[in-house]
Amino acid sequence: MRSARLAQGVIIVVLLIALGFTSTAAFAYWQDVTSLGNVQIEFSGEDATLEIVELHETFTGKLVPEGRAYFTDEVEEVVLQYQVSISRELARTMNLIVEATQVLIEGDDTYAHLVEITIDGSKNKVVRDIFNELVVVTVTVRLIEPIDAAEAALLGLDPERVNVEDSVAAYHAIKGKTVTITLGFGVQPKTNGN
């Protein structure tokens, strides 16, 4: 029994190490979506100038779940930064909206919930009051470890951590696959309470 648990634990560790985030390929894919990389800009009928510049370097390592970065090319999070330039008049009257509009793993969204996206500290979406013409938006991407009910019971984990029906099947569906993220940038009129 103990050797079976140890073998399963080793298999899980090996499986998690192999989960990868290939940013170079993802950026190439994103560029096919729009000329601004993985960024889509919407104005909702507003006549405005909104310019997005990527401040981060191209990521070429592997994204692994927290506590699973064992090798030098593995990281537990990828941080992307964008500088948003906006016209002065727009900054006075509009809020900036940044949202993760689509997450795909090799073109499929079945396990997209295993990719955690935080935008300026908020999960998946943020509405920011704009005070200046230049705004820096920080997007953090993390990978959540796939855990099924059997694994949670075996390891004594809280059942709330169960996020897939079959963790081995989830691993095989996403290991070494390209993660693509589409971010939407837009503006909306400020209300009296911002």
Side-chain angles (χ1 to χ4, degrees), residues 47-187:
D47 184 21
T49 302
L50 187 65
E51 187 177 310
I52 314 294
V53 176
E54 293 179 347
L55 299 178
H56 54 273
E57 294 181 18
T58 301
F59 174 74
T60 57
K62 293 179 184 172
L63 180 65
V64 296
E66 185 177 352
R68 304 295 186 195
Y70 300 119
F71 301 101
T72 56
D73 66 338
E74 296 174 339
V75 296
E76 295 177 1
E77 69 180 21
V78 175
V79 177
L80 310 172
Q81 286 193 314
Y82 300 89
Q83 179 177 295
V84 181
S85 301
I86 196 163
S87 65
R88 181 174 296 192
E89 185 55 40
L90 194 66
R92 291 184 196 137
T93 61
M94 297 286 174
N95 285 327
L96 176 67
I97 302 169
V98 184
E99 179 177 16
T101 58
Q102 185 177 55
V103 177
L104 299 173
I105 301 172
E106 205 70 20
D108 185 11
D109 67 354
T110 303
Y111 295 106
H113 65 282
L114 296 176
V115 180
E116 178 184 270
I117 300 171
T118 306
I119 305 168
D120 286 342
S122 298
K123 188 174 179 177
N124 294 327
K125 180 179 181 178
V126 68
V127 178
R128 286 185 58 173
D129 188 19
I130 306 169
F131 296 106
N132 301 311
E133 296 153 45
L134 290 179
V135 177
V136 175
V137 175
T138 302
V139 179
T140 305
V141 182
R142 293 187 182 96
L143 189 61
I144 300 170
E145 183 176 354
I147 299 173
D148 60 25
E151 184 179 356
L154 179 68
L155 299 174
L157 300 174
D158 184 344
E160 294 286 321
R161 292 194 53 194
V162 173
N163 53 23
V164 294
E165 288 186 34
D166 183 341
S167 61
V168 174
Y171 160 75
H172 286 295
I174 64 177
K175 69 175 180 176
K177 302 294 193 285
T178 301
V179 175
T180 56
I181 300 164
T182 303
L183 299 172
F185 287 75
V187 292

